């Protein structure tokens, strides 16, 4: 394999002499090429922009086989999606094979790779029966015989399936797969696989740690940044098929005609890649945009306004996906302002969208500060009685856990509790509570843990994944949403490791049974290197990184202990302010004697929102998983853990273990110097330094605080925090990124 | 010259066959190279990041001579600046020559390019006499004989001069200069050549149209984005030697210890490139950070606080440049809050900085809404009496004109009026009033017009340039500031043409006598293409673009007629609100009979702030330049212009002429398709479409408005605005970028 050295070691002069000696046109060509190398060493600096689609040339052991198998491509080019598939293959194969593939629209004698649908590629008509039940987005990928030749086929019922198959094939090549046994059949398990962008119209991204919004509303619709296309490519490579462009804390202006034209321009860019545009809808938009006196969902004028708005949108964006709504939560307007239910509100929008095939994604993230009930119980209480009251084109979008994207939460009790309503999973990809972009925390294991959690609502095996994919209750609609970690930073996600979370989200949204480890392995291989002595250690450090964050931030079921507002760093002492349920003391309830939120039947009874088998386990201090102990139980500091240590000793140990893990990651990464390109190595190393210091800060501040509460000595061997508690409490970060505005 | 095609036309298969036929190691190498071409066609897409430092291979007619003359480089490598010079040469020559230069630290037999100072390169000691009076930043660039060989020397008194010389040499190579006559001697005319970044600590850039701030405060000081280095390189290539990192609407937090450590990390990156860090200082910082009860400049506690702060800064940043201050203006605190003068305030900070060699740049952009005086006169009134009252290390920073960076203003009357005070010029590079980043407006001619304006204060030839460079009044200090148009957009400045304004600012700050046209020619050649059939038309369209913006926005001396707040688009009807001097009607004073601001001796008498010769010209409606007519005179709509037309006819004609110029630019640019790389061509074409539409909007809205005032019919042949005035008045842009916050 030819590699471009940072600085070629031969001097230019020697090169010239050699070529001049040959004195023929090959010499001249060679000289030109050598000249090129010099430029390239500058231009090819790895900066993360290419994500997992770098298409670096395949290993020497594979490249000949790939060239032979894939050098001649038969592909239709009549529709935008067909051309997108061809373009991607051209780009990918040129990189991976090191030569430009030849494209044909009909089989040539040398055809080796054939893609299309039975309609677009008549030569694939023989696959029609097999494609019958593969779904609108599914595809086949297979090495087979066609006209007496061995060919690779990428076949689907629709163009978008072909594009997805092309990305799958390129992934296999990037990860060095053998083509000889190629036989893949894929159908997505979820219908809607959607990113939620919390992007404000002024370019600010709430909880964004990757620069400003990718959408430059000011220059839309006239200027279509090529980055929009690359965004759509990245999503299509994972099967992500929707994007909510604007923040759930919504602004009615996003529904104004001027902004709809801008959104339509983005939709035009995304359409060939199968990504539909959705918008967050502000419930009071009929008043703010339409000048109505009310937004009451039962008001005929309001209903007319939304129908008109939906018609206007669909005229501009024929495949408009629908609305995402945050209503009657954290200050957003909603149907309860008029004494109506969430179902009334959702159905209002659903009726407006129905003629056009759009859906409403109505968020269950609802809680009120004037309700004395345990916040963890409120969404369930609000929604479970509405099961069956929603229109067919409404999904209720439920966060993975009952509080708010904490490093660890139990699965949300609504999963399994609303069998007549399709529930959409809402994961957070951006790391609001997990160290922002500077902490290396791979979320694959978090997503996997939630999806594999067993609700037991229909007996063992009633996993959250089966609730969400609709199979448990035979729903036609199903979906997963991820709060995007994407901005205009060159790395897309604010660091070189955060794209792994976008990637894992997309892969798991397609098929929630995949393994987070396998996904990480693919991602590292495509992103950094195919070398096993890079892939193995990097995957290993990623796999433990989320548990490490739990350890150094909120071990043993603790939650919501971050600083107020921006959520940067520890704040277990946070108390007072406008709402008790926005403080830390509300959640940890530590005192001289013990710590933890009693959600057992003797406490808030949050456990009883789960199916009996689950509730029993959570309710029993002897059975509850220790990693959720303090979520469900208030226990004495001297509580004996399974390790034999007291809770206090174990707690302090866990904090330190988290810091130690980050130090181990630093060591592992340090050992990869020279095996990972220098620009990205340096960047990651700097961020790991930040992460280590902040992990230590979390540990020290938390230990100092809890010690101030329980008055206990530090367990033997544990270092005292280097500063008094007041020092940590006084730290201020008025410009931490991503704060809600 | 070898060029990398977008998509190589030969198929990879053919290439392979050819190389395989040769079957030797050259064939293998060639195959690898060919493979590389495929990758490169993706990686080398022009996205503007390289600015004017793309270092594309020289034309075939030149490349051999360049290789012969520059292939062996003798350069010291002991200091960071020496290494910066070597690195830049390595990067530049590798690109331009197409081969890697050979570097030596002592002359080899083949030495052809020798750089250094007499200290760092003993072989250049013979130049010592010539370098004696070249200044700390000056340099020589010469082809000469050395040890019997023809060599190019880059010599200076200090390392930074050598680096500047290297950039000059690279510019000559990029623009295809002959080396044989090379004989350059350069010394900057201004001491301080400084960018002012109006960047807030939360990453927002006030009046920024190029994305967010380049400074990622959250990850500083640990992570040093390579972009910081490229920023310093770009500045050094122009001789820009300072950067004020934060907004003049300042936040005291930028002076906190945590943020000073962040600023120090940037200073460490910039130092090798000769770029010193400055900070905007909030005058009330002793109260906000220090907890003092006052910020009174005569208070000993306040004085102590600032001395301590200056000491702290210099301990972290030994070459800290100093403070920029906006005080008692637009809501900022200042010495007048305590009944003290601007001199008292500036001297307070100057005394604190003096032990460390820092300077204070005290802005004269001061006006008050409770002063009934013509706003254009207020800065002069406030400052002229303070001449001589400032410490030696204070400069008063004066905007180019008396209002605020309008498309055209007369030069500021303070220039020449404070002979005992060094006045620093403040230009705006970001286009707050000139169409943001989407309008192609080259500001070189604006800067040139101001610098060449003759104040007549010491007779003819007393140009603004000679006031600012200190030569008129023999000042030791001198400087030019430019409000930066730089953000984290990939193009740096929000478009492909806006870097030209950064470039022109830097070149003119070095030497204000250079021609805007020559500078544009250099910039286009380095940025887009060396082809004369590209350079000539692009330079031509740039050169007229500023006058076009004047025409379609505010012709004939009109000013300050933009929309309120964000300043996006026309707002000649803006009236009311908190301050009369923030409205449009205050400035145009149009009524049924006439239009214009009477600043003659019969009016506000603003003319009398200029030297008598100038005042006479401006005061006389028959002599005043027509492009400033309505700045100084209120005249009837029927006023006869030099063209013979009435003012009204001429005004409407000018608006249309501006629109026509943009259409002509579209046509010119369209004709360059295929001669300019496709990604940048497409981007510019889209922005020109926006500019054309917005120019038309300015014209239509302005004509509709003035017609509503004067009731006159449209001049013959002029198209009526397509909408009624109310339509233009109702347009709202709540999320236009860059608004002040």
């Amino acid at each position: 394999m030819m590699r471009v050295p940072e600085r070629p070691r031969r001097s230019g002069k020697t090169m010239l002499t050699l070529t001049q000696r040959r004195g023929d046109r090959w010499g001249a060509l060679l000289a030109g090429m050598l000249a090129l190398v010099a430029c390239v060493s500058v231009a090819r600096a790895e900066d993360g922009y290419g994500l997992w689609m770098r298409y670096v040339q395949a290993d020497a052991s594979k490249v000949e086989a790939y060239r032979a198998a894939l050098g001649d491509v038969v592909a239709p080019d009549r529709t935008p999606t067909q051309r997108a598939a061809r373009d991607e293959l051209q780009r990918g194969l040129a990189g991976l094979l090191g030569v430009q593939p030849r494209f044909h629209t009909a089989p040539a004698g040398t055809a080796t790779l054939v893609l299309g649908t039975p309609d677009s590629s008549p030569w694939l008509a023989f696959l029609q029966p097999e494609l019958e039940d593969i779904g609108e987005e599914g595809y086949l990928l297979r090495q087979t015989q066609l006209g007496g030749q061995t060919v690779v086929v990428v076949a689907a019922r629709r163009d978008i399936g072909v594009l997805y198959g092309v990305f799958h094939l390129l992934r296999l090549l990037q990860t060095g797969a053998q083509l000889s046994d190629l036989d893949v059949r894929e159908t997505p398990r979820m219908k809607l696989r959607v990113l939620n962008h919390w992007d404000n119209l002024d370019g600010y991204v709430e909880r964004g740690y990757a620069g400003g919004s990718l959408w430059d509303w000011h220059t839309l619709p006239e200027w279509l940044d090529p980055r929009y296309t690359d965004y759509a490519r990245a999503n299509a490579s994972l099967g992500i098929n929707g994007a909510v462009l604007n923040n759930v804390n919504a602004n009615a202006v996003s529904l104004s005609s001027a902004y709809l034209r801008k959104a339509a321009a983005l939709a035009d860019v995304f359409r060939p890649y199968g990504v539909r545009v959705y918008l967050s809808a502000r419930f009071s938009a009929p008043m703010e945009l339409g000048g109505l006196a009310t937004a009451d969902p039962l008001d005929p004028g309001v209903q007319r306004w939304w129908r008109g708005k939906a018609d206007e949108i669909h005229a501009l964006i024929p495949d408009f996906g629908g609305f995402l709504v945050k209503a009657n939560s954290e200050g957003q307007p909603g149907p309860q302002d008029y004494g109506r239910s969430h179902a009334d509100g959702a159905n209002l929008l659903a009726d407006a969208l129905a003629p056009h095939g759009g859906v409403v994604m109505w968020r269950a993230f609802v809680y009120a500060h004037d309700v004395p009930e345990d916040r963890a119980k409120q969404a369930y209480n609000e929604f479970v009685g509405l099961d069956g009251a929603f229109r067919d084109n409404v999904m209720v979008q439920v966060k993975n856990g009952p509080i708010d994207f904490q490093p660890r939460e139990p699965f949300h009790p609504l999963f399994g509790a609303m069998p007549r309503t399709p529930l959409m999973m809402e994961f957070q990809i951006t790391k609001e509570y997990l160290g922002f972009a500077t902490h290396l925390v791979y979320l694959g294991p978090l997503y996997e843990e939630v999806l594999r959690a067993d609700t037991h609502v229909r007996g063992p095996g009633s996993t959250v994944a089966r609730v969400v994919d609709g199979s448990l209750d035979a729903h036609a609609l199903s979906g997963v949403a991820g709060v995007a970690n994407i901005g205009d930073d060159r790395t897309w996600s604010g660091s070189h490791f955060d794209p792994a979370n976008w990637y894992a989200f997309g892969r798991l949204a397609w098929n929630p049974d995949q393994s987070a480890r396998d996904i990480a392995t693919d991602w590292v291989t495509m992103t950094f290197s195919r070398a096993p002595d890079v892939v193995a250690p990097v995957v290993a450090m990623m796999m433990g990184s989320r548990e490490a964050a739990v350890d150094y931030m909120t071990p043993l079921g603790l939650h919501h202990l971050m600083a107020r507002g921006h959520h940067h760093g520890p704040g277990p002492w946070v108390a007072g302010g406008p709402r008790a349920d926005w403080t830390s003391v509300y959640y940890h309830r530590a005192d001289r004697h013990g710590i933890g939120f009693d959600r057992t039947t003797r406490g808030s009874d949050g456990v009883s929102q789960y199916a009996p088998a689950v509730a029993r386990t959570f309710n029993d201090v002897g059975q509850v998983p220790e990693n959720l102990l303090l979520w469900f139980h208030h226990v004495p500091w001297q509580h004996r853990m399974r390790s034999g240590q007291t809770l206090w000793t174990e707690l302090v140990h866990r904090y330190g273990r988290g810091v130690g893990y980050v130090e181990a990651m630093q060591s592992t990464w340090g050992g990869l110097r020279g095996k990972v390109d220098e620009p990205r190595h340096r960047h990651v190393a700097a961020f790991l330094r930040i992460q280590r210091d902040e992990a230590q800060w979390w540990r020290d501040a938390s230990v100092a605080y809890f010690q101030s509460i329980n008055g206990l000595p530090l367990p033997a061997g544990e270092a005292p925090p280097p500063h008094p508690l007041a020092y940590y409490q006084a730290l201020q970060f008025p410009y931490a990124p991503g704060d809600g505005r």
Side-chain angles (χ1 to χ4, degrees), chain A residues 3 32 151 157 186 225 240 276 383 476 485 633 636 671 693 721:
Chain A
R3 284 201 179 274
V151 298
R157 283 184 58 192
E186 284 281 343
D225 192 319
I240 291 173
R276 294 171 86 173
F383 276 85
N485 65 350
H633 296 266
D693 290 350

Side-chain angles (χ1 to χ4, degrees), chain A residues 250-540:
Chain A
N251 185 320
V253 172
S254 68
L255 298 177
S256 67
S257 300
Y259 277 80
L260 291 177
R261 280 193 295 275
K262 296 169 188 282
L266 289 174
D268 291 343
V269 174
F270 300 166
R271 190 168 295 111
Y273 296 90
V275 179
R276 294 171 86 173
V277 156
Y278 298 72
L279 292 171
S280 290
R282 186 163 166 90
F283 198 77
S284 51
M287 301 166 73
E288 290 149 351
L289 287 186
L292 303 191
T294 179
D296 183 345
L298 302 193
D299 179 272
V302 171
Q303 293 166 356
R304 202 159 42 238
W305 188 88
W306 280 109
R307 280 199 304 273
K309 187 50 73 175
D311 294 346
E312 179 188 0
I313 296 174
H314 280 90
L316 289 163
I317 311 174
D319 57 349
F320 179 65
F323 293 132
L324 171 65
V325 186
K326 174 177 180 177
N328 290 122
S329 176
E330 300 184 323
Q332 292 294 310
Q336 294 180 336
D337 301 345
Y338 307 95
R340 316 300 182 189
S341 73
H342 284 286
D344 292 330
N347 293 343
L348 163 74
L349 303 180
D351 289 343
L353 292 167
H356 309 289
V359 302
V360 172
M361 301 172 294
W362 192 270
R363 287 175 97 232
F365 181 65
V366 162
Y367 61 103
H369 68 289
D370 50 1
V371 174
E373 183 60 278
D374 175 6
R375 171 172 159 190
K377 293 176 65 183
Q378 293 186 35
Y380 178 100
N381 289 348
E382 195 76 55
F383 276 85
V384 78
L386 296 174
D387 192 26
F390 294 99
R391 298 281 190 274
D392 286 347
N393 59 334
V394 174
M395 307 187 72
V396 171
Q397 182 167 312
V398 182
K399 290 189 180 185
N400 60 276
I403 296 292
D404 192 13
F405 301 135
Q406 295 300 294
R408 169 168 283 116
E409 301 193 24
F411 68 87
H412 199 297
L414 275 175
F415 291 115
M418 295 181 70
R420 292 190 288 162
T421 310
L423 299 189
M424 193 153 175
M425 168 66 75
E426 179 173 320
F427 283 127
Q428 193 175 46
I429 311 173
T430 189
K431 302 206 309 300
E432 175 180 357
Y433 298 103
L434 285 135
F436 300 179
T438 33
H439 291 213
L440 194 171
V441 180
Y442 172 53
L443 299 178
L446 188 160
Y447 303 152
E448 184 180 70
E449 177 178 300
V450 174
L451 291 166
R452 293 184 181 183
D454 195 340
T455 69
H456 283 270
V457 290
R458 294 179 186 263
S462 306
T463 60
V464 170
R466 294 196 58 219
V467 172
V468 173
D469 73 8
S471 62
L472 198 68
D473 299 301
H475 288 300
L477 268 181
S478 60
V480 181
V483 180
N485 65 350
I486 300 163
D488 65 6
D489 186 75
R490 189 67 182 165
T491 64
W492 296 86
S493 300
S495 79
H496 289 298
F497 271 91
D498 275 293
N501 295 327
W502 177 8
Y503 185 84
F505 166 79
R507 292 283 301 272
L508 288 167
W510 180 275
N511 177 1
D513 290 343
Q514 289 178 96
S515 115
R517 179 178 295 275
D518 290 349
I519 291 170
T521 303
D522 280 352
W523 180 81
V524 173
T525 305
M526 295 189 287
T527 298
F528 283 114
S529 169
R530 278 185 295 263
D533 62 350
V534 172
V535 175
V538 175
V539 169

Side-chain angles (χ1 to χ4, degrees), chain A residues 63 87 104 241 267 474 645 647 650 685:
Chain A
V63 74
D87 286 352
H104 317 274
N241 65 4
Q645 296 179 314
L647 169 64
E650 180 81 17

Side-chain angles (χ1 to χ4, degrees), chain A residues 3 79 84 146 240 248 295 324 424 442 454 494 540 566 598 657 700 732 737:
Chain A
R3 284 201 179 274
T79 70
L146 193 60
I240 291 173
V248 288
L324 171 65
M424 193 153 175
Y442 172 53
D454 195 340
H566 49 60
D598 185 356
R657 190 173 77 175
D700 291 336
Q732 302 241 338

Side-chain angles (χ1 to χ4, degrees), chain A residues 233-255:
Chain A
R233 286 177 51 230
N235 280 336
S237 79
L238 305 172
I240 291 173
N241 65 4
V244 185
L245 300 179
N246 60 316
N247 194 349
V248 288
N249 290 321
N251 185 320
V253 172
S254 68
L255 298 177

